[in-house]
Amino acid sequence: MNNFLVVGVGPHARRSHLPALAAGQSAGLVGTVCGVDLLGATDVLVPYDADDGPRSVPVTLIEPFDSRVPALPEAVRRALDAVVERRGIDAVVVSTEPAYHMVYVRWALERGLSVLLDKPLSVHAGCSVNPEKAEAILTDFDILLECYRNARRRFPQIMVSVQSQRRYHPAFWRMRQCIAEVTAETNCPVTSVQSFHSDGQWRLPDELLDISYHGFDQGHGKAAHSGYHFFDIVPWLLQAGETHGKHLDAVDIHAHVSRPADFLAQLGVQDHERLFPGFAARNPYTEGELRAATRLFGEVDAFISMAYKSSGRTITLGTINLVHNGFSQRGSLTPAHASLYKGNGRVRHESHIIMQGPFQALHFHSLQTLHDGTPSTDPYAPGRERHVQVHVFRNSAFHPGWSKYASLNFGTLTASSDSQVALPTQESSRRRATWEFLEYLAGRRTRDAMSSELTSHRRGATLMAGAYLSMAQQWIGASPVSQLDFRTTPESAPAVRTRMEAAR
């Protein structure tokens, strides 16, 4: 059995990684589990809820350090090496703030430790206002991929898997299958894709400064927080429709964003004073002070347009629209300090509309509300806490063997999944992502059967870098469009950087 080190034991790790590893222990796939985190961030023993009840994990505390360092500080490296030696660590889960991902993964690869890596792969402070910082997101991927290739030469069985859970979600598997089926019959790729995500965590004006949340105060925002899921899953779906002569090799990206100053124009200090009795007494900032203090903060909402091309021709038009200032179920003046990850009224609304020329249309919708404790006659209905549905339309007049319409709901999607227990929920899909990693380490799954190995993530990194490059170029008054190489294995990283530089 493999022993695990979890680097970063914050709310996400306690909610997802640690319970999944505990389940692995019960199944005989995981040996011991321990954690590492920063001094002041947690205690030496961290509690969490596993499937079989409350558990805790021992944590080694390390000194905080600057995320911009190219390698771990000597004292931190020695502390981690000591944990690896003392506890016989075989694999690492990297669940820190994304700005720290690079240094921890490179440290693990140098020691032959396999890695389960949270998304996004990396991010840089100020990337929404500084083009060089935006470009560095893609450069980071190329560096990390080269480190991984070098590590595989020394340690052939080493694995880096990225926890992009939508790749494990039965609804997305079914949509990918539908795309591949129609492409096989018609040679038609995906011709347009529209994606939307809203996580509606309402943060009041003073909380923009007083509550740090997922890097919004570091010059990046929604696109780096949950946006990577969509930068990843859209190319993953598009790939099912690519055929000879229609492989995507370039993408043009134009991002429109709202920033904190725009949020305050939409709903400002005086508006919140009217909405919440007591806000005026609590809030120490004028609207002018808030605008000045948040000037270099990251984006709140981002609507991003893409043109995916092959040999200069547009094959697919797309949008990825990411909303943080969206529908919420928060109704109180007091914020959920202890549960920003899932609290503060955060509600997920998600949709994808995929067109395959005149042959097929796919509509994915997950329109949920938070469970409030009241009895629900149908928790899977629209507007309920577990709603998910895929609508499949096909041109039966062209192909009589096709059904013109099918609706796939929670039950249908669950029944259509593979031999693993796979509910069409984000929680179940995250568990499956971890489980796949555990199976590989245990020798029960081959490399070719891995769904989310690092090598398959270049396009996602490209879209994220391109979105931020577009934002940053507009900030400095340059071209709003970034143009990037979109091949899965570009000839060289310098060629990509040259293209990015030419886009300014």
Side-chain angles (χ1 to χ4, degrees), residues 70 81 118 155 211 214 280 304 322 335 339 442 504:
D81 286 347
D118 268 348
F155 313 102
I211 301 180
H214 278 289
I304 308 162
L322 305 168
S339 184
R504 293 183 189 174

Side-chain angles (χ1 to χ4, degrees), residues 20 32 120 131 209 237 258 265 282 290 324 403 414 462 480 484 488 491:
T32 62
L209 291 181
L237 291 169
S258 64
R282 186 189 80 178
L290 287 168
H324 185 67
S403 172
T414 301
T462 299
L484 297 96
T488 53
E491 295 176 0

Side-chain angles (χ1 to χ4, degrees), residues 198-202 323-329 344-347:
S198 172
D199 63 358
Q201 191 206 91
W202 188 5
V323 175
H324 185 67
N325 182 27
F327 170 69
S328 170
Q329 284 181 253
N344 242 29
R346 181 178 175 183
V347 180

Side-chain angles (χ1 to χ4, degrees), residues 42-124:
T42 188
D43 296 322
V44 296
L45 197 63
V46 169
Y48 65 96
D49 292 324
D51 296 347
D52 56 1
R55 292 196 185 193
S56 60
V57 62
V59 177
T60 298
L61 301 179
I62 58 175
E63 290 286 345
F65 60 93
D66 192 329
S67 64
R68 295 171 294 181
V69 298
L72 291 175
E74 182 64 19
V76 174
R77 184 193 61 76
R78 286 199 305 268
L80 267 62
D81 286 347
V83 173
V84 170
E85 179 68 23
R86 184 172 67 253
R87 295 187 174 272
I89 298 299
D90 304 290
V92 176
V93 177
V94 176
S95 187
T96 64
E97 283 295 319
Y100 292 89
H101 284 178
M102 283 285 291
V103 289
Y104 283 116
V105 176
R106 293 177 70 178
W107 163 82
L109 292 177
E110 289 168 0
R111 283 147 186 78
L113 303 173
S114 290
V115 178
L116 179 62
L117 176 61
D118 268 348
K119 59 77 190 169
L121 307 183
S122 77
V123 73
H124 287 265

Side-chain angles (χ1 to χ4, degrees), residues 106 109-110 112 142-156 158:
R106 293 177 70 178
L109 292 177
E110 289 168 0
D142 290 327
I143 293 171
L144 195 58
L145 187 59
E146 185 61 25
C147 291
Y148 184 38
R149 288 170 175 161
N150 291 337
R152 284 188 59 185
R153 284 191 280 270
R154 296 175 57 202
F155 313 102
I158 199 170

Side-chain angles (χ1 to χ4, degrees), residues 255-274:
H256 293 277
V257 302
S258 64
R259 297 180 183 270
D262 304 305
F263 167 76
L264 291 169
Q266 295 163 349
L267 204 61
V269 169
Q270 290 185 348
D271 296 312
H272 283 86
E273 289 173 352
R274 287 192 294 269

